[in-house]
Amino acid sequence: MANRPLDFQPGTKWQYSPGLNVVGAVIEIVSGQSLDEYLAERIFTPLKMNNTTFKPSEKQAKRLAVIYQPGEEDHSLKPDENFITNPRQPAPNPSGGLYSTARDLFRFYQMILNQGTFRGQRIVSAEAVRQMLSLQTGELTTGFTPGNGWGLGWCLVQQPQGVTEMLSAGTFGHGGAFGTQGWVDPQTKTIYVLLIQRTKLPNSDASDVRKAFQTEAARMIN
């Protein structure tokens, strides 16, 4: 990545990229630990995220969800390969490849919603949470749906509309490569976790599946 030229001058345009790989490298240099060891010690273990890992055990591997892609016939599916968690990958990928469960993700999102604490235990500083959730992109047009801006690693809903219309301004989260969605609405204190595994389908952040899930969940809350 260090040898790749810039596509444009920083601050002039928004583009999704594997920038978190740089963050992962910085963490390893500063901490003197591998990324997976650091995250396990500082985040996963304190939060009791017992099923969150870059390297599933033999027991965990038996529970992994199959990834599907569209089949040859209409409305059919067939299994596909997971290109992000390829076993030949030499190290944990900060931009993708972490295995988890809905319960573990809830704990992480609840900690961020609580300004860095979970059940009375401080995991990250309130200032770190504030910086992560502060708008970094200004007036730039960003993806993956209209009305968004970006913080540090988080997509921020600025103007709810379309697939985000049931969410409050200030909702934060992210979508995953295989259709997963995780969003936190700080106004209603609602955490949305959608875990699906699909490839070769349109932008999952703007999908009808995400909209239907969030709409029904919001209806039940209200």
Side-chain angles (χ1 to χ4, degrees):
M1 290 181 65
N3 292 327
R4 290 168 55 180
L6 292 174
D7 287 344
F8 48 84
Q9 286 301 309
T12 62
K13 182 181 176 181
W14 179 90
Q15 180 174 295
Y16 193 69
S17 73
L20 288 178
N21 286 3
V22 177
V23 177
V26 171
I27 288 173
E28 292 190 328
I29 292 169
V30 173
S31 69
Q33 296 177 277
S34 64
L35 181 65
D36 53 340
E37 290 174 343
Y38 180 85
L39 292 177
E41 179 182 309
R42 298 293 294 271
I43 305 293
F44 305 152
T45 298
L47 283 175
K48 293 183 170 55
M49 296 173 65
N50 299 325
N51 287 297
T52 300
T53 179
F54 286 102
K55 303 173 183 177
S57 66
E58 183 176 345
K59 182 178 179 180
Q60 290 170 327
K62 294 178 180 179
R63 297 165 47 206
L64 293 181
V66 176
I67 295 174
Y68 289 93
Q69 63 177 313
E72 284 73 20
E73 300 179 5
D74 289 344
H75 307 297
S76 67
L77 296 172
K78 64 180 181 180
D80 195 8
E81 295 183 357
N82 184 339
F83 61 87
I84 287 182
T85 54
N86 189 312
R88 291 174 293 181
Q89 188 167 272
N93 180 357
S95 293
L98 187 67
Y99 297 90
S100 193
T101 63
R103 183 181 295 275
D104 279 10
L105 289 174
F106 160 76
R107 288 173 173 267
F108 179 77
Y109 290 133
Q110 186 67 62
M111 180 268 292
I112 299 295
L113 180 61
N114 292 346
Q115 302 299 304
T117 67
F118 184 77
R119 296 181 180 174
Q121 183 178 3
R122 172 65 62 185
I123 307 298
V124 299
S125 70
E127 175 60 17
V129 174
R130 187 195 67 77
Q131 290 185 35
M132 284 189 285
L133 302 182
S134 294
L135 182 66
Q136 305 290 329
T137 52
E139 299 298 320
L140 294 176
T141 299
T142 69
F144 291 94
T145 58
N148 292 337
W150 281 75
L152 299 178
W154 296 89
C155 182
L156 310 176
V157 177
Q158 303 290 294
Q159 300 169 329
Q161 58 190 279
V163 75
T164 64
E165 63 186 5
M166 73 297 297
L167 306 175
S168 306
T171 294
F172 54 91
H174 205 336
F178 299 120
T180 54
Q181 296 287 323
W183 297 87
V184 181
D185 187 328
Q187 300 300 317
T188 62
K189 300 190 184 308
T190 306
I191 297 171
Y192 299 85
V193 177
L194 172 65
L195 298 185
I196 60 175
Q197 295 285 72
R198 97 296 177 268
T199 62
K200 301 176 183 176
L201 290 176
N203 174 12
S204 66
D205 279 32
S207 71
D208 292 339
V209 174
R210 175 191 174 187
K211 184 174 183 179
F213 166 69
Q214 291 177 170
T215 299
E216 183 62 18
R219 184 189 67 80
M220 294 175 65
I221 293 166
N222 297 326

